């Protein structure tokens, strides 16, 4: 399968792509070293797909197996309980020249940070993803833009490898599916999504317990921090040709004052995007001296992936992001400028 270089999104894996992926795994010698990599600042889909799939490889007898992601080896607290976490190593400890690399939920090589060199050193690089903006990197691509999460693709491959689902594998795949569908609320929540969730739940995993850990638990310091950051949100009804923009920002200073790690800010966008008067919502999170991780969401009037791609990032139509540089106001101004050109036909 080819990437979207000619303009259109990838059509989804063909039978040939699936067969190549199955052969790449089945053909591994007993001594093979396999390295799993997910995207920087890993979310539920990145970690859940990677660790769930990793446990599947274990069941197939892959002995030398590591999982990693770029940046500091800190797993966000809501995901630390995930089965398969014992596969995780810091990026510097990852096999320098693995026989097979498998990438999860990364739309482009830039999302793999310092680990991108492992792809060239590896015997083969298998890419599992669901971003329409996927650039087509790697030697074998399983990229399905219609999949609600990368874990849908991961389960598709586990099924073809005839790995039996168990509760440990299912936990990661369920976290991935429930986070990327916003707890089965987003448009991507098709009958197939619920059918997959039913298969995962049938292994005995506990959805109430998982949701509480993943969505509904945060330290009191984060609750207070959210209050402050929400309090400074701005509503711009005229932005995006009148569809409206709501945005806020959080600095490293804010995090330090409340003694919180950066990942607690990932949940903020869900509070901001509730705003009735705005189609587009945005949270600008400081990640360096003059560097910001920007989250964008749309309710349907705007293709925010177009905005994000114009500013060097990527994502999905209604959930995208990019790295912004300069002052907060400059970053937001660049978004304002891109919004009218990203309107979708009514
Ligand atoms: P987030 O707002 O971080 O939850 O990300 C929303 C979507 O945008 C996800 O699908 C990400 O893969 C994508 N995304 C976020 N940040 C970036 C970035 N810097 N470059 C490319 N894609 C991104
Ligand atoms: Mn992701
Ligand atoms: Mn995803």
């Amino acid at each position: 399968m080819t990437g979207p270089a000619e303009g259109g999104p990838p059509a989804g894996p063909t039978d040939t792509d699936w067969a190549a992926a199955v052969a790449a795994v089945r053909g591994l010698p007993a001594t093979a070293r396999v390295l799993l990599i997910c995207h920087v600042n890993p979310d539920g889909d990145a970690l859940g797909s990677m660790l769930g799939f990793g446990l599947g490889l274990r069941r197939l007898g892959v002995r030398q197996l590591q999982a990693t992601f770029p940046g500091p080896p800190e797993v966000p607290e809501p995901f630390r309980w995930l089965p398969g976490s014992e596969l995780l190593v810091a990026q510097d400890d990852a096999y320098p020249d693995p026989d097979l690399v498998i990438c999860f939920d990364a739309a482009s090589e830039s999302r793999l940070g310092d680990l991108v060199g492992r792809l060239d050193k590896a015997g083969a690089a298998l890419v599992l993803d669901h971003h329409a903006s996927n650039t087509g990197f790697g030697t074998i691509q399983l990229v399905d833009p219609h999949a609600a999460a990368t874990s849908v693709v991961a389960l598709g491959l586990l099924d073809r490898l005839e790995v039996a689902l168990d509760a440990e594998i299912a936990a990661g795949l369920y976290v991935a599916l429930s986070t990327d569908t916003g707890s089965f609320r987003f448009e991507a929540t098709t009958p197939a999504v619920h059918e997959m969730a039913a298969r995962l739940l049938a292994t005995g995993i506990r959805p109430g317990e998982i949701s509480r850990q993943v969505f509904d638990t945060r330290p009191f310091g984060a609750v207070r921090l959210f209050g402050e950051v929400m309090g400074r949100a701005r509503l711009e009804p005229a932005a995006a040709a009148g569809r409206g923009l709501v945005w806020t920002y959080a600095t490293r200073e804010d995090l330090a004052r409340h003694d919180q790690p950066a990942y607690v800010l990932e949940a903020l966008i869900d509070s901001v995007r509730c705003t009735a008067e705005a189609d587009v919502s945005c949270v600008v999170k400081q990640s360096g001296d003059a560097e910001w991780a920007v989250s964008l969401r749309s309710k349907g009037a705007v293709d925010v992936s177009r905005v994000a791609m114009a500013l060097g990032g990527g994502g999905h139509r209604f959930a995208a992001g990019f790295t912004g540089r300069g002052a907060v106001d400059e970053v937001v101004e660049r978004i304002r400028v891109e919004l009218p050109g990203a309107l979708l036909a009514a």
Side-chain angles (χ1 to χ4, degrees), residues 66-85:
Q66 295 180 332
T68 192
F69 52 84
E74 196 187 0
V75 174
E77 176 71 33
F79 306 125
R80 279 190 202 149
W81 60 274
L82 275 174
S85 296

PDB file of all heavy atoms in Angstrom, residues 66-85:
ATOM      1  N   GLN A  66      10.992  -5.933  23.002  1.00  0.00           N
ATOM      2  CA  GLN A  66      10.996  -4.693  23.780  1.00  0.00           C
ATOM      3  C   GLN A  66       9.941  -3.740  23.223  1.00  0.00           C
ATOM      4  O   GLN A  66       9.631  -3.780  22.034  1.00  0.00           O
ATOM      5  CB  GLN A  66      12.355  -3.984  23.677  1.00  0.00           C
ATOM      6  CG  GLN A  66      13.525  -4.738  24.277  1.00  0.00           C
ATOM      7  CD  GLN A  66      14.819  -3.955  24.118  1.00  0.00           C
ATOM      8  OE1 GLN A  66      14.977  -3.165  23.185  1.00  0.00           O
ATOM      9  NE2 GLN A  66      15.741  -4.166  25.040  1.00  0.00           N
ATOM     10  N   ALA A  67       9.440  -2.874  24.091  1.00  0.00           N
ATOM     11  CA  ALA A  67       8.522  -1.810  23.677  1.00  0.00           C
ATOM     12  C   ALA A  67       9.070  -0.493  24.193  1.00  0.00           C
ATOM     13  O   ALA A  67       9.604  -0.423  25.299  1.00  0.00           O
ATOM     14  CB  ALA A  67       7.129  -2.061  24.249  1.00  0.00           C
ATOM     15  N   THR A  68       8.948   0.555  23.384  1.00  0.00           N
ATOM     16  CA  THR A  68       9.509   1.837  23.805  1.00  0.00           C
ATOM     17  C   THR A  68       8.789   2.984  23.106  1.00  0.00           C
ATOM     18  O   THR A  68       7.922   2.768  22.251  1.00  0.00           O
ATOM     19  CB  THR A  68      11.033   1.891  23.515  1.00  0.00           C
ATOM     20  OG1 THR A  68      11.616   3.015  24.168  1.00  0.00           O
ATOM     21  CG2 THR A  68      11.311   1.978  22.021  1.00  0.00           C
ATOM     22  N   PHE A  69       9.120   4.212  23.515  1.00  0.00           N
ATOM     23  CA  PHE A  69       8.624   5.412  22.840  1.00  0.00           C
ATOM     24  C   PHE A  69       9.653   6.513  23.044  1.00  0.00           C
ATOM     25  O   PHE A  69      10.469   6.444  23.971  1.00  0.00           O
ATOM     26  CB  PHE A  69       7.234   5.823  23.374  1.00  0.00           C
ATOM     27  CG  PHE A  69       7.139   5.943  24.871  1.00  0.00           C
ATOM     28  CD1 PHE A  69       7.519   7.108  25.533  1.00  0.00           C
ATOM     29  CD2 PHE A  69       6.679   4.870  25.635  1.00  0.00           C
ATOM     30  CE1 PHE A  69       7.423   7.212  26.913  1.00  0.00           C
ATOM     31  CE2 PHE A  69       6.593   4.960  27.027  1.00  0.00           C
ATOM     32  CZ  PHE A  69       6.968   6.135  27.658  1.00  0.00           C
ATOM     33  N   PRO A  70       9.646   7.533  22.163  1.00  0.00           N
ATOM     34  CA  PRO A  70      10.661   8.571  22.275  1.00  0.00           C
ATOM     35  C   PRO A  70      10.435   9.455  23.497  1.00  0.00           C
ATOM     36  O   PRO A  70       9.315   9.584  23.968  1.00  0.00           O
ATOM     37  CB  PRO A  70      10.492   9.388  20.984  1.00  0.00           C
ATOM     38  CG  PRO A  70       9.201   9.004  20.402  1.00  0.00           C
ATOM     39  CD  PRO A  70       8.739   7.730  21.012  1.00  0.00           C
ATOM     40  N   GLY A  71      11.520  10.033  23.967  1.00  0.00           N
ATOM     41  CA  GLY A  71      11.429  10.960  25.097  1.00  0.00           C
ATOM     42  C   GLY A  71      11.632  10.267  26.427  1.00  0.00           C
ATOM     43  O   GLY A  71      11.993   9.099  26.480  1.00  0.00           O
ATOM     44  N   PRO A  72      11.386  11.004  27.511  1.00  0.00           N
ATOM     45  CA  PRO A  72      11.575  10.424  28.846  1.00  0.00           C
ATOM     46  C   PRO A  72      10.693   9.196  29.025  1.00  0.00           C
ATOM     47  O   PRO A  72       9.552   9.192  28.554  1.00  0.00           O
ATOM     48  CB  PRO A  72      11.129  11.544  29.796  1.00  0.00           C
ATOM     49  CG  PRO A  72      11.012  12.782  28.971  1.00  0.00           C
ATOM     50  CD  PRO A  72      10.871  12.368  27.542  1.00  0.00           C
ATOM     51  N   PRO A  73      11.226   8.144  29.680  1.00  0.00           N
ATOM     52  CA  PRO A  73      10.477   6.876  29.779  1.00  0.00           C
ATOM     53  C   PRO A  73       9.395   6.921  30.852  1.00  0.00           C
ATOM     54  O   PRO A  73       9.234   5.991  31.619  1.00  0.00           O
ATOM     55  CB  PRO A  73      11.567   5.865  30.120  1.00  0.00           C
ATOM     56  CG  PRO A  73      12.596   6.655  30.837  1.00  0.00           C
ATOM     57  CD  PRO A  73      12.550   8.052  30.296  1.00  0.00           C
ATOM     58  N   GLU A  74       8.626   8.006  30.867  1.00  0.00           N
ATOM     59  CA  GLU A  74       7.596   8.145  31.887  1.00  0.00           C
ATOM     60  C   GLU A  74       6.224   7.824  31.289  1.00  0.00           C
ATOM     61  O   GLU A  74       5.761   8.521  30.383  1.00  0.00           O
ATOM     62  CB  GLU A  74       7.603   9.573  32.428  1.00  0.00           C
ATOM     63  CG  GLU A  74       6.848   9.691  33.722  1.00  0.00           C
ATOM     64  CD  GLU A  74       6.713  11.147  34.178  1.00  0.00           C
ATOM     65  OE1 GLU A  74       7.216  12.038  33.481  1.00  0.00           O
ATOM     66  OE2 GLU A  74       6.090  11.364  35.224  1.00  0.00           O
ATOM     67  N   VAL A  75       5.610   6.765  31.800  1.00  0.00           N
ATOM     68  CA  VAL A  75       4.272   6.390  31.345  1.00  0.00           C
ATOM     69  C   VAL A  75       3.263   7.187  32.169  1.00  0.00           C
ATOM     70  O   VAL A  75       3.344   7.213  33.399  1.00  0.00           O
ATOM     71  CB  VAL A  75       4.039   4.876  31.532  1.00  0.00           C
ATOM     72  CG1 VAL A  75       2.603   4.503  31.189  1.00  0.00           C
ATOM     73  CG2 VAL A  75       5.020   4.084  30.673  1.00  0.00           C
ATOM     74  N   PRO A  76       2.292   7.865  31.501  1.00  0.00           N
ATOM     75  CA  PRO A  76       1.275   8.583  32.275  1.00  0.00           C
ATOM     76  C   PRO A  76       0.594   7.657  33.283  1.00  0.00           C
ATOM     77  O   PRO A  76       0.273   6.506  32.960  1.00  0.00           O
ATOM     78  CB  PRO A  76       0.289   9.056  31.200  1.00  0.00           C
ATOM     79  CG  PRO A  76       1.103   9.152  29.950  1.00  0.00           C
ATOM     80  CD  PRO A  76       2.111   8.038  30.052  1.00  0.00           C
ATOM     81  N   GLU A  77       0.403   8.176  34.482  1.00  0.00           N
ATOM     82  CA  GLU A  77      -0.179   7.382  35.581  1.00  0.00           C
ATOM     83  C   GLU A  77      -1.417   6.565  35.170  1.00  0.00           C
ATOM     84  O   GLU A  77      -1.530   5.387  35.528  1.00  0.00           O
ATOM     85  CB  GLU A  77      -0.511   8.342  36.737  1.00  0.00           C
ATOM     86  CG  GLU A  77      -1.205   7.717  37.933  1.00  0.00           C
ATOM     87  CD  GLU A  77      -0.290   6.820  38.744  1.00  0.00           C
ATOM     88  OE1 GLU A  77       0.911   7.115  38.827  1.00  0.00           O
ATOM     89  OE2 GLU A  77      -0.797   5.810  39.288  1.00  0.00           O
ATOM     90  N   PRO A  78      -2.351   7.136  34.389  1.00  0.00           N
ATOM     91  CA  PRO A  78      -3.561   6.360  34.062  1.00  0.00           C
ATOM     92  C   PRO A  78      -3.282   5.058  33.301  1.00  0.00           C
ATOM     93  O   PRO A  78      -4.159   4.194  33.237  1.00  0.00           O
ATOM     94  CB  PRO A  78      -4.369   7.320  33.171  1.00  0.00           C
ATOM     95  CG  PRO A  78      -3.848   8.682  33.483  1.00  0.00           C
ATOM     96  CD  PRO A  78      -2.407   8.508  33.840  1.00  0.00           C
ATOM     97  N   PHE A  79      -2.069   4.927  32.723  1.00  0.00           N
ATOM     98  CA  PHE A  79      -1.768   3.737  31.905  1.00  0.00           C
ATOM     99  C   PHE A  79      -0.734   2.819  32.550  1.00  0.00           C
ATOM    100  O   PHE A  79      -0.325   1.825  31.953  1.00  0.00           O
ATOM    101  CB  PHE A  79      -1.271   4.159  30.516  1.00  0.00           C
ATOM    102  CG  PHE A  79      -2.206   5.094  29.804  1.00  0.00           C
ATOM    103  CD1 PHE A  79      -1.757   6.318  29.326  1.00  0.00           C
ATOM    104  CD2 PHE A  79      -3.541   4.757  29.610  1.00  0.00           C
ATOM    105  CE1 PHE A  79      -2.612   7.196  28.664  1.00  0.00           C
ATOM    106  CE2 PHE A  79      -4.411   5.630  28.959  1.00  0.00           C
ATOM    107  CZ  PHE A  79      -3.945   6.854  28.489  1.00  0.00           C
ATOM    108  N   ARG A  80      -0.288   3.154  33.768  1.00  0.00           N
ATOM    109  CA  ARG A  80       0.818   2.379  34.347  1.00  0.00           C
ATOM    110  C   ARG A  80       0.442   0.956  34.705  1.00  0.00           C
ATOM    111  O   ARG A  80       1.311   0.098  34.812  1.00  0.00           O
ATOM    112  CB  ARG A  80       1.358   3.100  35.588  1.00  0.00           C
ATOM    113  CG  ARG A  80       2.290   4.197  35.157  1.00  0.00           C
ATOM    114  CD  ARG A  80       3.064   4.830  36.279  1.00  0.00           C
ATOM    115  NE  ARG A  80       3.461   6.150  35.794  1.00  0.00           N
ATOM    116  CZ  ARG A  80       3.626   7.226  36.512  1.00  0.00           C
ATOM    117  NH1 ARG A  80       3.487   7.160  37.815  1.00  0.00           N
ATOM    118  NH2 ARG A  80       3.961   8.354  35.965  1.00  0.00           N
ATOM    119  N   TRP A  81      -0.831   0.700  34.876  1.00  0.00           N
ATOM    120  CA  TRP A  81      -1.285  -0.637  35.278  1.00  0.00           C
ATOM    121  C   TRP A  81      -1.396  -1.587  34.087  1.00  0.00           C
ATOM    122  O   TRP A  81      -1.642  -2.780  34.276  1.00  0.00           O
ATOM    123  CB  TRP A  81      -2.680  -0.522  35.917  1.00  0.00           C
ATOM    124  CG  TRP A  81      -3.669   0.053  34.964  1.00  0.00           C
ATOM    125  CD1 TRP A  81      -3.904   1.384  34.751  1.00  0.00           C
ATOM    126  CD2 TRP A  81      -4.502  -0.650  34.038  1.00  0.00           C
ATOM    127  NE1 TRP A  81      -4.834   1.554  33.754  1.00  0.00           N
ATOM    128  CE2 TRP A  81      -5.230   0.314  33.296  1.00  0.00           C
ATOM    129  CE3 TRP A  81      -4.719  -2.000  33.753  1.00  0.00           C
ATOM    130  CZ2 TRP A  81      -6.138  -0.023  32.300  1.00  0.00           C
ATOM    131  CZ3 TRP A  81      -5.632  -2.335  32.756  1.00  0.00           C
ATOM    132  CH2 TRP A  81      -6.333  -1.351  32.048  1.00  0.00           C
ATOM    133  N   LEU A  82      -1.220  -1.064  32.869  1.00  0.00           N
ATOM    134  CA  LEU A  82      -1.497  -1.879  31.678  1.00  0.00           C
ATOM    135  C   LEU A  82      -0.675  -3.170  31.649  1.00  0.00           C
ATOM    136  O   LEU A  82       0.545  -3.132  31.811  1.00  0.00           O
ATOM    137  CB  LEU A  82      -1.190  -1.086  30.405  1.00  0.00           C
ATOM    138  CG  LEU A  82      -2.280  -0.175  29.861  1.00  0.00           C
ATOM    139  CD1 LEU A  82      -1.742   0.652  28.685  1.00  0.00           C
ATOM    140  CD2 LEU A  82      -3.497  -0.983  29.428  1.00  0.00           C
ATOM    141  N   PRO A  83      -1.324  -4.310  31.412  1.00  0.00           N
ATOM    142  CA  PRO A  83      -0.566  -5.555  31.221  1.00  0.00           C
ATOM    143  C   PRO A  83       0.391  -5.382  30.036  1.00  0.00           C
ATOM    144  O   PRO A  83       0.037  -4.739  29.046  1.00  0.00           O
ATOM    145  CB  PRO A  83      -1.646  -6.591  30.896  1.00  0.00           C
ATOM    146  CG  PRO A  83      -2.920  -6.013  31.398  1.00  0.00           C
ATOM    147  CD  PRO A  83      -2.782  -4.528  31.290  1.00  0.00           C
ATOM    148  N   GLY A  84       1.583  -5.920  30.154  1.00  0.00           N
ATOM    149  CA  GLY A  84       2.576  -5.775  29.092  1.00  0.00           C
ATOM    150  C   GLY A  84       3.556  -4.652  29.383  1.00  0.00           C
ATOM    151  O   GLY A  84       4.548  -4.496  28.667  1.00  0.00           O
ATOM    152  N   SER A  85       3.320  -3.877  30.455  1.00  0.00           N
ATOM    153  CA  SER A  85       4.219  -2.766  30.785  1.00  0.00           C
ATOM    154  C   SER A  85       5.644  -3.252  31.053  1.00  0.00           C
ATOM    155  O   SER A  85       6.599  -2.486  30.925  1.00  0.00           O
ATOM    156  CB  SER A  85       3.716  -1.994  32.008  1.00  0.00           C
ATOM    157  OG  SER A  85       2.477  -1.404  31.714  1.00  0.00           O
TER     158      SER A  85
END
